[in-house]
């Protein structure tokens, strides 16, 4: 059983390069445009699977999270990106969220028939984030958007499937919890493909050269040891690593 993977370009943002590497090790003061990616997984007999679904609203994202300019062009909507691959939003039966940050979990309502698979610990942490109101980047919500969380616990609740720990959701498709890494309940998705195991790593790794090859954790994490262990585990398990915010992923995620 192998799956096909396609990247979905769901928006862009200009962010500081210091997000790529552990704060105290970074001297890079430049900013870069990064993609917001989701992924379409084809080949499950239950129908198409989507992993991460982009942001709710670019303007809202800038106001709340205090990062740089965000954009989502019309051809970067979830429906438009799925249409490139001949998939309609209502055909998607499973949505897996690596974590609940605003740039990954804002589009859940656009997939009206999908069960939404989330780690229980992530939803709990997202409902009561630890960010102080004075935080310059991320703000009081620590990159979680109240609107996304409110939707998940209310209007979308019947479709939410909370998992705890490591789960093989489909044959050859595993959700692996990496607690207290980029977020408290962040999961990666390992997928069997014809080039081996592909890893959709959310934001645990942002840049393969820095975070995987040089083993320098990215800037946002809860526990440094958990982050280092997660990066090493990903490097061991995966034949191809697919970070969310790296333009290279647009080509490396075309698999099968
Ligand atoms: Zn992200």
């Amino acid at each position: 059983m192998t799956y096909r993977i396609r990247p979905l370009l769901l928006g862009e943002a200009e962010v500081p390069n210091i997000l790529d590497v552990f704060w105290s090790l970074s001297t890079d003061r430049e900013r870069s445009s990064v993609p917001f990616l989701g992924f379409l997984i084809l080949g499950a007999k239950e129908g198409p699977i989507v992993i991460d679904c982009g942001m709710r609203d670019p303007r809202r994202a800038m106001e709340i999270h205090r990062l740089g300019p965000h954009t989502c062009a019309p051809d970067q909507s979830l429906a438009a990106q799925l249409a490139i691959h001949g998939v309609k939003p209502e055909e998607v039966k499973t949505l897996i969220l690596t974590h609940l940050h605003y740039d990954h979990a804002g589009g859940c309502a656009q997939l009206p028939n999908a069960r939404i698979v989330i780690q229980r610990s992530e939803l709990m942490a997202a409902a009561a984030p630890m960010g102080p109101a004075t935080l310059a980047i991320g703000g009081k919500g620590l990159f979680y958007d109240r609107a996304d969380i409110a939707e998940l616990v209310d209007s979308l609740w019947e479709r939410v499937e909370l998992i705890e720990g490591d789960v093989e959701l489909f044959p050859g498709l595993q959700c692996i919890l990496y607690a207290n890494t980029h977020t408290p309940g962040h999961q990666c998705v390992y997928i069997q493909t014809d080039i081996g195991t592909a890893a959709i790593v959310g934001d645990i790794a942002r840049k393969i050269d820095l975070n995987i090859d040089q083993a320098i954790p990215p800037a946002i994490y809860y526990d440094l040891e958990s982050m280092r262990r997660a990066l090493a585990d990903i490097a061991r398990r995966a034949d191809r690593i697919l970070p969310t915010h790296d333009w290279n992923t647009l080509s490396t995620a075309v698999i099968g």
Side-chain angles (χ1 to χ4, degrees):
M1 179 74 211
T2 60
Y3 297 88
R4 288 174 288 134
I5 304 178
R6 297 291 181 268
L8 308 170
L9 178 58
L10 302 173
E12 299 172 37
E14 190 194 297
V15 300
N17 293 351
I18 48 175
L19 290 179
D20 291 341
V21 290
F22 183 38
W23 296 115
S24 63
L25 302 180
S26 176
T27 55
D28 186 343
R29 292 288 173 258
E30 299 298 307
R31 301 170 70 86
S32 299
S33 163
V34 300
F36 288 179
L37 298 178
F39 299 87
L40 172 65
I41 314 301
L42 298 164
K45 68 177 188 304
E46 292 82 358
I49 300 163
V50 167
I51 303 175
D52 290 346
C53 54
M55 67 184 138
R56 174 173 297 271
D57 174 352
R59 193 175 316 154
R60 183 180 165 85
M62 287 184 278
E63 283 168 12
I64 297 177
H65 310 293
R66 305 170 192 165
L67 284 161
H70 284 50
T71 55
C72 180
D75 65 349
Q76 295 175 344
S77 73
L78 187 51
Q81 288 289 303
L82 289 172
I84 293 171
H85 308 289
V87 174
K88 297 189 179 74
E90 56 269 28
E91 292 169 346
V92 175
K93 294 299 187 312
T94 309
L95 169 63
I96 304 170
L97 299 176
T98 59
H99 62 298
L100 296 179
H101 279 172
Y102 75 98
D103 52 321
H104 299 252
C108 296
Q110 296 174 44
L111 301 174
N113 298 319
R115 64 173 168 148
I116 305 166
V117 180
I118 310 168
Q119 291 285 338
R120 179 186 296 278
S121 53
E122 180 66 5
L123 184 57
M124 291 169 69
M130 294 183 284
T134 51
L135 199 62
I137 296 180
K140 192 180 177 185
L142 267 186
F143 301 111
Y144 294 112
D145 186 332
R146 305 307 299 164
D148 298 341
I149 311 310
E151 203 170 63
L152 287 168
V153 301
D154 189 2
S155 60
L156 299 178
W157 180 244
E158 290 308 315
R159 294 201 277 120
V160 170
E161 180 176 325
L162 296 177
I163 59 175
E164 296 180 66
D166 303 343
V167 174
E168 184 159 27
L169 214 54
F170 300 104
L173 190 149
Q174 289 179 300
C175 296
I176 302 294
L177 171 65
Y178 291 106
N180 298 317
T181 52
H182 178 66
T183 62
H186 192 297
Q187 59 185 347
C188 293
V189 186
Y190 290 96
I191 303 165
Q192 293 312 313
T193 73
D194 60 14
I195 55 129
T197 303
I200 291 174
V201 296
D203 291 359
I204 291 182
R206 294 177 67 90
K207 289 282 183 335
I208 289 171
D209 57 343
L210 291 170
N211 309 140
I212 300 288
D213 298 343
Q214 297 181 56
I216 303 171
I220 299 174
Y221 60 84
Y222 281 68
D223 175 73
L224 185 54
E225 262 317 298
S226 301
M227 197 63 161
R228 291 179 63 248
R229 278 197 299 270
L231 289 166
D233 192 58
I234 290 166
R236 251 194 319 272
R237 289 181 190 229
D239 298 300
R240 183 161 302 171
I241 298 169
L242 305 173
T244 302
H245 299 299
D246 186 342
W247 289 107
N248 293 326
T249 303
L250 269 183
S251 53
T252 58
V254 180
I255 300 174

